[in-house]
Amino acid sequence: MNPTTPLSREQVRAIDEIAIGEFSMPGICLMENAGRGAAEQIAAFTAATEIAILCGGGNNGGDGFVIARHLQLMGRKPHIFLLADPARLSGDALTNWQIAMASKLPCEVVDEHSLPSLQRKLAEASCIVDAMLGTGASGDPRGTIANAIRNANATSAVRVAIDLPSGLDCDTGSPGDPCFRADLTCTFVAEKIGFAAAEASEFTGAVRVVSIGAPAELLRRYAVAD
């Protein structure tokens, strides 16, 4: 199926909810499809071996955990940096964090005290993946996530955003302060409405649409499939 129509924040949420509720697709299945598809796009885009994956505490971070697992299976060397309290993870994100830990993927939790260490490690990475804030986020990033964005943007690494760059508004395309500057954005289901804004392209870079496995019948309702 070929995605045709950009989606708003509310439409993204509705597609997830309908896929899970009406079509009986487990959320963990959608996250697995999204993460694996994004990992494939990253592997095709860059030959980078040392890959830092910045993960938030929501489902975008959950996607990051899946991405790390699949990149490792592809022979890359991912390192997960969780910019949230692991005790506050829930649902599918928590499950994939537990899988990452049981799989002995390199993982560390970042707080305000370990930000200098994160800055050094990002400077050594050849690719940085932004799985911090998803489509539901609005307003300027704050705290450790804001610092991580600034540090990532200051490196010469290849930068990849998952679903949309952290700090970019899904609906308006307006960049927050700070906003992750991606060379590639792996966006799920369809492009987001905000990507069409004139100022958005310098933050999204190239955009690749990744399927989450939602049924064609559902996608047709939102005109994102032929």
Side-chain angles (χ1 to χ4, degrees):
M1 311 302 292
N2 297 313
T4 56
T5 303
L7 296 174
S8 69
R9 180 180 287 114
E10 289 303 316
Q11 289 171 322
V12 168
R13 183 180 294 114
I15 286 174
D16 279 349
E17 290 176 352
I18 295 169
I20 293 167
E22 181 179 335
F23 288 84
S24 301
M25 292 193 73
I28 195 80
C29 177
L30 300 176
M31 185 173 285
E32 183 72 17
N33 291 340
R36 181 172 185 168
E40 291 170 349
Q41 290 291 338
I42 293 167
F45 187 77
T46 176
T49 300
E50 303 291 336
I51 303 177
I53 304 180
L54 302 171
C55 296
N59 282 344
N60 201 242
D63 296 331
F65 306 148
V66 177
I67 289 166
R69 174 159 41 87
H70 284 286
L71 285 175
Q72 187 182 60
L73 290 169
M74 295 173 190
R76 309 300 176 95
K77 296 179 179 178
H79 192 122
I80 294 169
F81 296 93
L82 176 59
L83 289 89
D85 181 353
R88 301 186 64 130
L89 294 173
S90 63
D92 301 328
L94 173 59
T95 299
N96 276 301
W97 170 253
Q98 292 169 335
I99 293 170
M101 297 294 286
S103 304
K104 294 182 169 53
L105 277 164
C107 301
E108 59 187 277
V109 178
V110 178
D111 58 23
E112 59 183 7
H113 302 295
S114 53
L115 280 170
S117 173
L118 174 64
Q119 183 176 9
R120 290 192 298 272
K121 291 172 181 176
L122 291 181
E124 296 168 356
S126 47
C127 176
I128 299 172
V129 176
D130 163 24
M132 291 179 281
L133 300 175
T135 55
S138 59
D140 292 341
R142 300 183 298 275
T144 55
I145 287 181
N147 277 283
I149 291 172
R150 292 189 179 99
N151 289 334
N153 285 347
T155 73
S156 59
V158 173
R159 292 187 293 272
V160 180
I162 302 305
D163 213 9
L164 81 174
S166 290
L168 189 75
D169 188 276
C170 175
D171 288 349
T172 68
S174 177
D177 180 21
C179 184
F180 189 86
R181 290 183 177 271
D183 300 296
L184 170 70
T185 294
C186 300
T187 198
F188 302 131
V189 182
E191 292 195 23
K192 307 306 180 282
I193 287 178
F195 291 0
E199 56 192 341
S201 62
E202 66 178 284
F203 295 95
T204 62
V207 177
R208 300 289 181 269
V209 174
V210 174
S211 171
I212 63 171
E217 175 63 25
L218 170 56
L219 299 182
R220 288 191 191 100
R221 296 183 193 178
Y222 289 86
V224 295
D226 296 333

